[in-house]
């Protein structure tokens, strides 16, 4: 493991250990004592839906770029990539493996572009949900927000406005030439021939499955969240997993949950417990299949090299 990998693991363990120190470990143990098999199995089933929808989104994106992938192959490779992303630092190693294994003899650029754009589609869906949640915060959680939240919201609006202005400036600069080279691919993947509707449906359904697993984890640990949490705190917790500072989102996700759960009158220990169970369900949902497919792939490669 590289120095970055070692530091990432240490970071995750340090954050989680610090959270255990900050809350009462007995509360976390009591929360896990409430967990039964039913919710866990329901969460694992939803993880399968996540993987299949994501794989179909990748297949659709690749096909629009002239790189057809059989559905069974896309699902198999997505299980392997999901497992690798969860157990290796950075959260992108699985995508690198997926790009390498889906390359062709003629070119690797098309397969790599398909993976980048497919991940972009999913991340945009997360941002759309989190953005919609910004309107729900002041409406449903006005009495629970910290005193400086309005100022924070204004700062966010200012940053967004500055980003729009910067985007307009860049659009008029020489970087526009680079966009012109990418525009056909972006149009094919996200707009032409009904692509927008398909990308939106696949990505939003996938995000809904992620949110549902978190809601199930919270309920299973004995601290169910209100429905408004699905568009407020949970998207923020899930978006912290995009930070390439740890392993599979562990640590940053738990810290966010511990900080945000008190907004609903729950304890930080409840947030930590729900996030830990979410991580366990997510790993359990892909580990058996990912390991099986990975072993099969390694054996096939070994047999081919011996032939």
């Amino acid at each position: 493991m590289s120095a970055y990998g070692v530091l990432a693991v240490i970071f995750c363990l340090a954050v989680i250990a610090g959270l255990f120190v900050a809350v009462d470990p007995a509360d976390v143990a009591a929360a896990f004592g409430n967990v039964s098999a039913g919710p866990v199995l329901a969460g694992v089933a939803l993880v399968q839906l996540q993987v299949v929808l994501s794989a179909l989104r990748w297949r659709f994106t690749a096909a629009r770029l002239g790189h057809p992938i059989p559905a069974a192959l896309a699902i198999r490779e997505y299980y392997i990539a999901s497992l690798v992303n969860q157990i290796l630092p950075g959260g992108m190693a699985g995508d690198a493996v997926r790009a390498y294994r889906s390359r062709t003899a003629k070119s690797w650029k098309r397969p790599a572009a398909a993976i980048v754009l497919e991940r972009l589609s999913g991340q945009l869906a997360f941002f759309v949900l989190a953005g919609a949640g910004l309107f729900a915060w002041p409406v449903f959680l006005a009495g629970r927000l910290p005193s400086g939240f309005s100022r924070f919201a204004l700062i966010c609006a200012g940053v967004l406005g500055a980003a729009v202005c910067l985007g307009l400036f860049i659009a008029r600069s020489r970087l526009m030439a680079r966009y012109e080279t990418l525009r056909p691919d972006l149009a094919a993947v996200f707009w032409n021939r009904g692509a927008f509707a398909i990308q939106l449906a696949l990505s939003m359904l996938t995000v809904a499955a992620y949110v549902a697993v978190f809601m199930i984890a919270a309920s299973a640990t004995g601290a169910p969240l209100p429905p408004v949490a699905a568009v407020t705190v949970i998207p923020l917790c899930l978006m912290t997993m995009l930070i390439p500072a740890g392993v599979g989102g562990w640590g940053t996700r738990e810290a966010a949950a511990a900080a945000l759960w008190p907004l609903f009158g729950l304890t930080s220990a409840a947030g930590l417990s729900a996030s830990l169970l979410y991580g366990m369900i997510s790993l359990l949902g892909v580990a058996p299949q990912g390991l099986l497919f990975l072993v099969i792939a390694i054996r096939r490669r070994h047999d081919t090299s011996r032939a």
Side-chain angles (χ1 to χ4, degrees):
M1 185 181 293
S2 65
Y4 168 75
V6 173
L7 290 174
V9 172
I10 293 174
F11 171 78
C12 290
L13 295 176
V15 171
I16 293 175
L19 291 171
F20 268 97
V21 172
V23 305
D24 189 350
D27 291 341
V28 178
F32 273 89
N34 295 322
V35 178
S36 60
V40 172
L41 292 176
V44 168
L46 281 172
V47 173
Q48 313 316 305
L49 181 62
Q50 294 171 16
V51 174
V52 172
L53 288 172
S54 299
L56 293 178
R57 183 178 64 201
W58 173 36
R59 180 173 182 260
F60 172 79
T61 302
R64 285 301 178 95
L65 295 179
H67 178 61
I69 303 174
L73 177 62
I75 293 171
R76 184 189 73 191
E77 294 300 318
Y78 222 99
Y79 269 112
I80 295 175
S82 298
L83 173 61
V84 174
N85 278 341
Q86 291 202 41
I87 63 177
L88 290 184
M92 298 177 64
D95 298 312
V97 171
R98 187 157 49 107
Y100 177 78
R101 286 174 52 80
S102 63
R103 75 194 190 284
T104 65
K106 295 181 179 179
S107 174
W108 56 268
K109 292 183 179 180
R110 295 281 90 184
I115 290 172
V116 170
L117 294 178
E118 178 266 322
R119 286 296 300 267
L120 176 63
S121 177
Q123 291 173 8
L124 287 175
F126 269 116
F127 282 109
V128 167
L129 183 62
L134 289 177
F135 295 97
W137 283 94
V139 174
F140 296 99
L141 302 174
R144 301 173 183 175
L145 296 175
S147 58
F149 184 82
S150 297
R151 185 182 306 168
F152 173 74
L154 289 175
I155 292 173
C156 289
V159 170
L160 180 61
V164 171
C165 293
L166 179 61
L168 293 175
F169 173 77
I170 291 175
R172 297 177 62 87
S173 71
R174 289 179 299 177
L175 292 177
M176 191 65 181
R178 178 60 178 166
Y179 167 74
E180 290 295 332
T181 63
L182 295 175
R183 186 164 63 175
D185 287 349
L186 293 173
V189 169
F190 293 110
W191 191 253
N192 292 347
R193 292 178 292 147
F196 177 78
I198 296 173
Q199 290 281 5
L200 180 65
L202 290 172
S203 293
M204 294 307 296
L205 286 172
T206 303
V207 169
Y210 275 96
V211 172
V213 173
F214 221 130
M215 295 286 282
I216 288 172
S219 179
T221 52
L225 292 168
V228 70
V231 295
T232 52
V233 298
I234 291 181
L236 294 181
C237 291
L238 292 173
M239 286 174 62
T240 62
M241 296 169 61
L242 300 177
I243 302 173
V247 180
W250 294 94
T252 53
R253 182 185 61 234
E254 282 69 40
L260 293 171
W261 256 235
L263 291 176
F264 293 103
L266 302 171
T267 65
S268 294
L272 173 59
S273 303
S275 186
L276 288 173
L277 182 59
Y278 170 85
M280 295 174 187
I281 291 174
S282 297
L283 183 57
L284 181 61
V286 299
Q289 304 91 320
L291 285 172
L292 175 63
F293 292 141
L294 187 58
V295 169
I296 292 173
I298 292 173
R299 290 189 62 181
R300 283 179 177 174
R301 184 175 180 182
H302 179 69
D303 293 342
T304 301
S305 64
R306 291 181 58 185

